[in-house]
Amino acid sequence: MIIGRQQDVTVAATAVMERTSDPRLREIMVSLVKHLHGFVRDVRLTEAEFREATAILAEMGRQSTDTHNEVVLMAGSLGVSALVCLLNNGDQGNTETAQSLLGPFWRLNSPRTENGGSIVRSETPGAALFVTGRVVDPAGNPVAGAEVDVWHASPVGLYENQDPEQADMNLRGKFTTDADGRFAFRSVMMVGYPIPTDGVVGKLLQAQGRHPYRPAHLHALIVKPGFKVLISQVYDPADPHIDSDVQFGVTRALVGNFVRHDEPHPTVGDISQPWYSLDHVYRMEAGEAVLPRPPIK
């Protein structure tokens, strides 16, 4: 088709996309072209703005490395990650779900740890945290033999791959649920933290006058054949940014009960007060156990 006017571009591009042989790819590409062209018309994108937009995309690619994924960070900061998660879980977005964002800091091959063991692998000052979790199916029955991968930021707000002061795989561990679907571990209380702001995402937040903080949270990725991989986060309701997460990830179902204790621990004598505890139930949905692609190495 020879283009006669601006409307012809959309007609021609849509016609090409409709020749895509794979049905799902065809559906995605036809919709993508229609919405992209509609967006350009809606904001009347200028040539200078278009060049700037393509430069931003290229810059995000350059800023993504083995230890940092700027594209994932941007998707979260635009609310896309949260939307995709909620649309695909909890009866296709109609009910609450324990599913959450994977985030940009999950790594494969976390160290296997015995139930009740510690995931503190280098000196990490902070209040002790004792976590007990229970993994159940949709009916509330225990899921035994599930693999539970946990990770979280340190009390200074950094994951170990961001912080040369922490040992490799510090505050990461992999557990197996017992016959009652339970697992437990010891760590240190995490804090909220700012997402990296030295890249494209930081410039966006500055331009919008937004803060860069995520509320304190514990990550878990749970795998068991016969169930959809559960990717979850548990948030501390006492965090000052619990209702303004820069990544739009906090839902009611993900707010946990981090309990502060000012008395000595009943069984462990080597900790000072205060210390914290978290007891949380993780509910899995039926499905295929397919691991996501790690955003970093």
Side-chain angles (χ1 to χ4, degrees):
M1 178 180 195
I2 296 176
I3 306 301
R5 54 182 186 160
Q6 56 94 358
Q7 291 88 345
D8 294 341
V9 178
T10 303
V11 174
T14 302
V16 170
M17 301 306 145
E18 287 175 341
R19 296 201 296 267
T20 306
S21 58
D22 181 87
R24 178 58 175 162
L25 180 59
R26 179 171 62 249
E27 178 185 11
I28 290 172
M29 294 308 300
V30 168
S31 181
L32 177 65
V33 165
K34 288 181 178 178
H35 283 80
L36 275 178
H37 288 217
F39 162 74
V40 170
R41 291 189 177 95
D42 185 41
V43 300
R44 299 198 63 83
L45 197 70
T46 68
E47 292 167 301
E49 289 166 342
F50 173 72
R51 289 191 290 269
E52 181 66 19
T54 57
I56 287 171
L57 292 174
E59 183 64 18
M60 283 195 292
R62 287 191 293 269
Q63 290 172 357
S64 296
T65 67
D66 287 347
T67 59
H68 174 78
N69 193 314
E70 189 76 7
V71 178
V72 171
L73 200 64
M74 179 62 82
S77 301
L78 295 175
V80 175
S81 301
L83 178 58
V84 170
C85 174
L86 294 177
L87 277 174
N88 285 276
N89 296 282
D91 189 27
Q92 304 304 304
N94 294 311
T95 62
E96 285 192 340
T97 177
Q99 288 279 358
S100 184
L101 316 177
L102 176 62
F105 296 113
W106 177 58
R107 298 177 64 186
L108 278 174
N109 305 316
S110 292
R112 289 204 167 271
T113 310
E114 292 184 1
N115 261 334
S118 174
I119 62 172
V120 180
R121 308 186 189 283
S122 60
E123 185 176 353
T124 311
L129 170 66
F130 294 83
V131 176
T132 55
R134 186 167 183 259
V135 182
V136 301
D137 66 14
N141 301 309
V143 178
E147 183 178 271
V148 183
D149 196 347
V150 300
W151 69 103
H152 67 82
S154 74
V156 298
L158 294 173
Y159 291 87
E160 115 285 358
N161 61 290
Q162 299 174 295
D163 185 1
E165 299 299 317
Q166 297 183 54
D168 187 46
M169 294 293 181
N170 188 42
L171 307 181
R172 298 178 186 265
K174 190 175 292 185
F175 302 84
T176 302
T177 58
D178 63 17
D180 294 322
R182 296 188 180 278
F183 67 96
F185 63 92
R186 175 177 171 176
S187 189
V188 292
M189 189 63 186
M190 67 290 295
V191 298
Y193 59 84
I195 62 173
T197 56
D198 56 349
V200 172
V201 173
K203 294 177 182 177
L204 174 67
L205 298 183
Q206 185 178 26
Q208 296 178 324
R210 293 166 59 189
H211 74 70
Y213 283 90
R214 300 219 66 214
H217 57 277
L218 170 69
H219 292 270
L221 185 148
I222 306 176
V223 184
K224 177 70 185 285
F227 295 92
K228 182 176 182 178
V229 172
L230 176 58
I231 301 166
S232 195
Q233 298 182 30
V234 183
Y235 293 91
D236 180 5
D239 191 282
H241 299 105
I242 190 66
D243 59 355
S244 59
D245 177 18
V246 68
Q247 298 277 284
F248 306 100
V250 181
T251 66
R252 283 189 299 270
L254 300 178
V255 177
N257 185 24
F258 290 83
V259 179
R260 172 178 168 140
H261 302 267
D262 293 304
E263 69 281 359
H265 192 280
T267 61
V268 182
D270 65 340
I271 63 171
S272 57
Q273 293 81 50
W275 56 276
Y276 292 83
S277 64
L278 171 68
D279 188 16
H280 193 75
V281 175
Y282 295 88
R283 192 175 301 273
M284 302 189 78
E285 300 178 13
E288 188 178 0
V290 179
L291 281 175
R293 178 183 298 176
I296 61 172
K297 291 185 178 178

